[in-house]
Amino acid sequence: MHRKQVDPSTMEPDDIVASFTALKIPKTHAVVGLSNLIASNKQYRSLFVNRRLPDAGWSDVQIQHFIFLLSTLDTNNKTLVGSDSTSDESRWCGVGEREGRVYSSLVSQRHYGLSHGMGRSGDITEPQPKAVGSSVLVKLTLLMVLDAVRRGSGLNPKTAASHGILLPLCTGMSMSLVLSSLRTSAGDESRNIVLWSRIDQKSCFKAILSAGLKCVVIPTMRDGDQVVTDADALARALAEHKGRVLAVITTASCFAPRVPDKVDVVAKQCKEADVHHIINSAYGLQCAATSKLINRACVIGRVDAIVCSTDKNFLVPVGGAIVLSPDKDVIQNVGKMYAGRASSSPMVDLFITLLSMGLNGYTRLLTERSAMLETFPKRFEEVAIKYGERLLQCPANTISFGVTVDGLARLAGDDENETDYLNAVSADISKFGAMLFSRCVSGTRVVPRGGQKTISGHDFIGFGSSLDDYPHAYVTAACAIGVSKSEVDEFFVRLDKTFKEFKKASTK
Amino acid sequence: MHRKQVDPSTMEPDDIVASFTALKIPKTHAVVGLSNLIASNKQYRSLFVNRRLPDAGWSDVQIQHFIFLLSTLDTNNKTLVGSDSTSDESRWCGVGEREGRVYSSLVSQRHYGLSHGMGRSGDITEPQPKAVGSSVLVKLTLLMVLDAVRRGSGLNPKTAASHGILLPLCTGMSMSLVLSSLRTSAGDESRNIVLWSRIDQKSCFKAILSAGLKCVVIPTMRDGDQVVTDADALARALAEHKGRVLAVITTASCFAPRVPDKVDVVAKQCKEADVHHIINSAYGLQCAATSKLINRACVIGRVDAIVCSTDKNFLVPVGGAIVLSPDKDVIQNVGKMYAGRASSSPMVDLFITLLSMGLNGYTRLLTERSAMLETFPKRFEEVAIKYGERLLQCPANTISFGVTVDGLARLAGDDENETDYLNAVSADISKFGAMLFSRCVSGTRVVPRGGQKTISGHDFIGFGSSLDDYPHAYVTAACAIGVSKSEVDEFFVRLDKTFKEFKKASTK
Amino acid sequence: MHRKQVDPSTMEPDDIVASFTALKIPKTHAVVGLSNLIASNKQYRSLFVNRRLPDAGWSDVQIQHFIFLLSTLDTNNKTLVGSDSTSDESRWCGVGEREGRVYSSLVSQRHYGLSHGMGRSGDITEPQPKAVGSSVLVKLTLLMVLDAVRRGSGLNPKTAASHGILLPLCTGMSMSLVLSSLRTSAGDESRNIVLWSRIDQKSCFKAILSAGLKCVVIPTMRDGDQVVTDADALARALAEHKGRVLAVITTASCFAPRVPDKVDVVAKQCKEADVHHIINSAYGLQCAATSKLINRACVIGRVDAIVCSTDKNFLVPVGGAIVLSPDKDVIQNVGKMYAGRASSSPMVDLFITLLSMGLNGYTRLLTERSAMLETFPKRFEEVAIKYGERLLQCPANTISFGVTVDGLARLAGDDENETDYLNAVSADISKFGAMLFSRCVSGTRVVPRGGQKTISGHDFIGFGSSLDDYPHAYVTAACAIGVSKSEVDEFFVRLDKTFKEFKKASTK
Amino acid sequence: MHRKQVDPSTMEPDDIVASFTALKIPKTHAVVGLSNLIASNKQYRSLFVNRRLPDAGWSDVQIQHFIFLLSTLDTNNKTLVGSDSTSDESRWCGVGEREGRVYSSLVSQRHYGLSHGMGRSGDITEPQPKAVGSSVLVKLTLLMVLDAVRRGSGLNPKTAASHGILLPLCTGMSMSLVLSSLRTSAGDESRNIVLWSRIDQKSCFKAILSAGLKCVVIPTMRDGDQVVTDADALARALAEHKGRVLAVITTASCFAPRVPDKVDVVAKQCKEADVHHIINSAYGLQCAATSKLINRACVIGRVDAIVCSTDKNFLVPVGGAIVLSPDKDVIQNVGKMYAGRASSSPMVDLFITLLSMGLNGYTRLLTERSAMLETFPKRFEEVAIKYGERLLQCPANTISFGVTVDGLARLAGDDENETDYLNAVSADISKFGAMLFSRCVSGTRVVPRGGQKTISGHDFIGFGSSLDDYPHAYVTAACAIGVSKSEVDEFFVRLDKTFKEFKKASTK
């Protein structure tokens, strides 16, 4: 093989083989190793060129090799300890107020030497000249997430998942940032009201207040066992607060018996009323039905942003959110609204995870959840029936399921005076949850009738069920992405035991 | 030694020795190892009991041993891959929508198995029942930071550093959160103006807008070479916007020739005007003079919050801030304002780093910076004088220093028409910065005369110097915590070369 | 619960809960975390008390927590970089010639701070006073391996697996060490011959020479397709070299068509001849039939040592061996023969792996292999038949399988002159192996007829088949522990393609 | 920039920049990062091309990036858990009996995915076709060690350090392997005696026996305080055992009052007698004087091999040795004698450490030791004199130092009957060592008069001092590579205290 003049700055496969000969590694061996390196390089290059989630996952060796490549591109990774004396760690000398110095080598290790984080003071998506490796990592992560959301979750690449941004914030704070950014772009101070289809969860409600906006809670209504969007109530509110509404917030993933909002209907209403529409879909990416609903909403109505959790959808530690939008400007304004740089640690987690999964791995997880779903509610019901309870019929919620625990509640309560009864029951039935937890079952929610909670001055009656007067006490459980068969099996065994034990204890 | 009935749930040193005997480890050996374990346990216990930064740093083995102890306390750490089949990884079965599942073992590893993050939906400081280890880690980190800030940086434990909160946000977003929380507590919608003593840095300005507030920029003034607070202008603004001012923001760490604001004077003004006062002290903790100034401000006037970066002060990767306050309520309200859970990764970095440093290590870093400071400006000046420039006399800024580059600017410019001159120079002199960067010098800032920048609609004249008409072009460099002697030496060598080369190139 | 006076040296669960209260962690949360810690502590204690492989595997968090606990017990773990100035890393001062100092923190990290290794100058199993944690780790690893070998692999705990030692050496060097130790204990210099039932693999043969002994190769014989032990030839050799034979070496795991030696028959012969008998069972632990055979040999005859690889049986990186023996003295003498300390890195790998597997995980791997075995030979045969070849009938070998490639060999060869034919074929048929390798199939062996190899002066005719004149060229493949279904599926696809391609290329 | 046709198999810097543009990373940013990558690539390439220890150490990011590059070249790195289902981990399917499968991801991580180890069944230095990355790593490590030993330690690259081999064995076992290999090459069975200049350390003595050879101990003699080689005794032994001596073993690093053997004199004797000469220089590489002595020996006489520990000289965990020789054949034969593959973990440690140190770092360590040496003996003497003891005058030993403890011994002993006295004293004076250890001083050796030890049947009188009747009890301490100033300071403080306390306790 005739070789061009060797460029000392490159480490090409051919050069590597040549070097090996000098090390007395037989050429045949070198060629085998080379074929691996070439295969890996092709995958790396393909990621750069196609900027999509690879179909097959990468090995941990490849992932780390690639991250250290990116880390080499950053200029401001310095481990402090010993850097002065023991190694010529850096060609760089830094005389700014922050030069990516890291004191502990343990800390440096857990970040692969990356210390810059993401973004710049003006925009969290802006690349940083000192840290091009970090910048690339964050950009690739976003592109892979978008691909996962399109090819895996089924969101429409032309509408719902057309544009996106990753934020190192929880969904609540991300919601807050989106609202701030919409308000700023609107440039109309009088639009300071957010209409929020009630969902009994603190973060979103607080996010609205945190953005300096007013929240008007749109009550839900009951449809059989399901707690659903009250589109008429929303229409009334839109009319009432005409000209002062900044946005409507709906929810696409929630605990039973609340079901996902009719986001298509609301999207249409928002379009007509010319107000923003944000969908809180914290863990909705795992559900094809939800994706379809959102896709439809984008077509027939208005959707400005869809806020999703990275940890709930992609099995990484808590810490990030993805905001999707059909509108590029919305996304860009959100990026500019985050004032400063941020930890890229949640992005590194996502980057590793997506490369490790590949599209195949992600799809497999979605498929496994679907398979589990086929028996989950039925098995839940079987346990319930054994103790005189029943499954709440909420077909529109394909993630969270509930069974009544009215019988248990009645056991401990006192029927004569309903208020007293509710208080007594509320205390007692919560023991059922504690008993499950003490049996190492986490994630269930026991909701009594008539609970109440005041959040930042607003009273929520019947707190937990997202409805003032839901007629059942119930316990919920979710069949979420990543749950294993053995966990589910074990859950039903323990639930059964807990029912039995609770009954026994209460009838004494 | 008579032993009490052995409790199978404990792993006490005595029990361990007894077990070793069964392994035919001589008792004398076991006792030596035991003395190490006891010494470590004492340190762990001391951290729990005293809740202070240890004087001497811990070894990496101890730090990791302790983090894994905490990780064991979390119930929701699950690595997904293989969990079903290959190990009985968890006694827990999780049927919530998020159960701390982590797909990649690489990701799990870099978080020591911790996946919960910090906080709960209602409050970022709230402990999480499923993740008591994570909760404890975050609390201990805060307590150690407070101790470092008090015993190391010299902030008054009774006033400035009386209370604190760690946020996994940059200083800008933290500022925004503090403002939101003050507005909410104030409960007075008409107070929507923030007075901001001009400092040419994007984050803080954007943070004010991001919180949905209006920013009134208070111009600075020149005092010799120094750019200083214009207290009179502030007084006028306070009078003009009376009743509508939510807060005044000052800055305690900044680039020369801007010097720290007269925070004590402003504090007094705020007290009198009954408005909030927030100090942006992003990297001020490394400077004893700044701490004294802030302490004084707390005594003679009003300070509601001091916002500091964790990475700039404690040599961890980007991602966190600490907000300090003399007022417990201010801190609590900030915690409640963060709507949801967050990544605890920046806290883990800080936890490791503080334990690794100990108070001794932190103090040593501060002392080393002070020692470097003794010669830094003089050496900077020496290079400048060689090329006909001079050091800007800004004694009130002990972190950032500047030398004029007027001569360089003139070389390339055209004197006849000043506007043209400035434009030409601005373009040319920025090359000086690029040349330094291409010589692997990072962190300098070259500021031409008469720059201009529009941020979110506001025009900043003379951008960079925080003053409309600063009479010099200049270059700044910082003598910041963690900078090494060899870096500084190298910087002056390269600066000298760059001056020479620039002159040569320009006079051609 | 009344508590005894708190001992500051312990970190008991109760104390931890008490400490948490001071951190304002609700007691209920603390109690949940506590239950996890107690559960972990019980597992740790159980390992100390029962000294057996746990049934269920531990989580990675537990494993690391436990290793760092052990690491804390070592006195001589010092990371060099920065230890002087940045942390009070050690209470210890070391003034010996080796004090466990480690220069690189990366290196220290990969060993969990452990740097002592295993053993002392006189005995590799001897505990080291400075490093009780390392000593315990090695001892526990041995005990878990013994348990795995007994309860998992089915070796008799009273005989074959009665005693054992772990060596950080490959099986060849371990064999050498065993031979040296037997010679030393024998104390009879004239016994310097080892009889070795031929197996075409270099290590064992060289191991005999390396120990300074003479090797007499006992030829094998053919039984159908199988290459088997020639017990008569062995009997003749025992008679011929009477009084000068130190040991007989047999092999219990090997490549088809060689099958495991009749170790029971040989054991009986050795007993009668009063010579040592060592079984080379490098990867035999995965096979229940092999265990049964060895158990029987121990009962009806003499077995002094069984040498097994750790990596081939337990899926760890290369580097260790386990020597088993019914005789405690044999094991102790081997330990004393290793002159000095050794790396404990292979033991750390094994320790982690066994704890991660648990007995359940190990048993599952064995079962999965058995399941794969049901179809492996049949599918191998199917491909062979397609191309006019056939499966070699070697039922006594349940790990390695072979199919003839005589047809392929003939294609390229020249029948007229057999020697020429063989040479030609040998060259050509090896291309078949190379083609498989270039299709990323590793581990197959293509053995032509009439190969020949000289090792340390000894000529092996028909090298590869362990027989002078095996009548077939063939290719082997193994169904070994840890092989995945997808690998096997893919293997047969690629094998098929390679057959086709080879035929096509040869008939041109 | 016009680009040649892009080759999809490469990842050249130019291609990377091009890819970044597509990610909307400004070209100027990319170029900066690129300059870092190019700088790193140059260093990698330089290592391949020059095959020498780099002058400046590499950063941890670079080291890991490079190891993962090598790891990518191995074909047989497979993590078992989840490999089947969750990622397309490998293009390879393995149907051998060992395919580098690794069960635990923790284990895989600590080896950077490398699982092959080093060597092949016939030779530990032989490259392995399946694992070219591992093979290259081991070769580069050897070349860097040779360079360190030449340019750092000062061994002559033409003679003493002309050839070398790395063994994953302790020095004792390496000595044994060297002896076996010399015996095999000699091919003369009657040469089975090794003459060994007495040094009271178990490993070397046992190593000789382990190789199946006979050891004749050549007594040392006293020269002032020093215990030195008795060249006459050696000459007599050479004469006595003429024709039966395989090798003479000398020692170049040892505990005071023993000083390094006169290896030059012995080398001359060996040359004349035509017998092999092996130098045991376990920790001699840190000492320039020792290197000079060995260089001289190679010139004026015969040296066949020099055996050095990797951990004692290069601050890595226990586990490796380097054998140096002027003779290529000697080294090659040693490689062939190791029968099988071995763990490459000790080589990985060394690889990381040498790259992290660079020549500059290694030289700095040697210089720091030399600096420490200037005051070490004087300070040791000062403490001794305070308690009526004195420094043993052993100028030829520049690593280990001793002070008498005769006074302490006398305190506790009984003069009347010397045997009784010695027994009593031996017991008592050892308490002095125990007291030091309990004060966390490790590495000292307290040697009483008249100790005795039987090792494998040989009686060593006066064990510890390498002389039958050394006239002093004494305590030794070493000033070895890597010792820190604070350790040494602390040692003298604690030694002083221990002297005082021992006297006090004994005079009661």
Side-chain angles (χ1 to χ4, degrees), chain B residues 30-293:
Chain B
V31 164
V32 171
L34 185 67
S35 80
N36 270 11
L37 182 62
I38 289 174
S40 273
N41 277 350
K42 274 186 186 157
Q43 292 177 277
Y44 303 162
R45 174 185 294 275
S46 169
L47 181 60
F48 279 136
V49 171
N50 301 319
R51 297 181 291 282
R52 293 171 65 153
L53 187 60
D55 286 343
W58 292 9
S59 73
D60 284 358
V61 166
Q62 289 178 305
I63 293 171
Q64 290 169 95
H65 184 204
F66 192 73
I67 296 183
F68 280 115
L69 173 71
L70 295 180
S71 184
T72 306
L73 297 173
D74 278 13
T75 66
N76 56 356
N77 303 334
K78 285 173 197 153
T79 307
L80 195 67
V81 173
S83 67
D84 209 44
S85 50
T86 64
S87 82
D88 181 36
E89 180 135 344
S90 177
R91 307 176 302 130
W92 288 83
C93 55
V95 286
E97 89 288 9
R98 213 205 85 82
E99 293 294 329
R101 290 184 188 101
V102 172
Y103 181 85
S104 159
S105 61
L106 285 181
V107 170
S108 182
Q109 263 316 100
R110 63 187 295 262
H111 295 284
Y112 303 92
L114 301 164
S115 68
H116 162 72
M118 63 189 288
R120 301 185 71 180
S121 54
D123 188 334
I124 200 167
T125 65
E126 208 177 334
Q128 160 66 250
K130 291 197 216 174
V132 72
S134 291
S135 304
V136 165
L137 186 146
V138 171
K139 292 210 175 265
L140 287 175
T141 307
L142 172 63
L143 292 166
M144 288 196 290
V145 168
L146 284 175
D147 197 28
V149 155
R150 292 164 184 169
R151 290 199 291 157
S153 305
L155 284 178
N156 191 330
K158 300 266 176 73
T159 58
S162 178
H163 302 281
I165 185 173
L166 284 168
L167 298 172
L169 295 170
C170 64
T171 47
M173 284 299 285
S174 299
M175 184 63 79
S176 195
L177 205 65
V178 170
L179 288 169
S180 293
S181 119
L182 291 177
R183 178 187 51 206
T184 303
S185 335
D188 177 356
E189 279 183 47
S190 58
R191 289 195 176 266
N192 64 351
I193 287 177
V194 172
L195 305 183
W196 178 56
S197 180
R198 176 175 171 186
I199 169 89
D200 288 0
Q201 186 252 357
K202 288 183 196 169
S203 304
C204 193
F205 182 70
K206 302 192 76 158
I208 298 165
L209 307 183
S210 176
L213 298 164
K214 287 199 183 62
C215 182
V216 171
V217 180
I218 308 299
T220 50
M221 62 186 202
R222 191 153 62 82
D223 175 11
D225 283 345
Q226 299 193 133
V227 174
V228 303
T229 318
D230 187 342
D232 292 343
L234 176 62
R236 284 191 299 273
L238 280 168
E240 182 185 344
H241 302 288
K242 194 166 179 178
R244 292 178 47 223
V245 175
L246 179 67
V248 174
I249 298 181
T250 53
T251 301
S253 58
C254 54
F255 291 105
R258 176 72 153 83
V259 299
D261 276 312
K262 298 165 186 160
V263 297
D264 47 353
V265 174
V266 175
K268 225 169 155 183
Q269 292 177 294
C270 290
K271 192 177 179 181
E272 281 157 16
D274 195 22
V275 301
H276 295 295
H277 177 203
I278 310 177
I279 302 175
N280 182 359
S281 183
Y283 45 101
L285 294 174
Q286 63 192 292
C287 174
T290 304
S291 292
K292 267 187 205 160
L293 186 64

Side-chain angles (χ1 to χ4, degrees), chain D residues 209-221:
Chain D
L209 308 182
S210 176
L213 298 163
K214 286 199 183 63
C215 182
V216 171
V217 181
I218 308 299
T220 51
M221 63 185 200

Side-chain angles (χ1 to χ4, degrees), chain B residues 373-391:
Chain B
L373 215 54
E374 284 172 27
T375 59
F376 193 93
K378 218 184 60 181
R379 295 172 70 186
F380 203 2
E381 185 168 36
E382 281 165 12
V383 177
I385 284 172
K386 228 170 127 177
Y387 297 94
E389 305 290 353
R390 68 176 183 78
L391 185 75

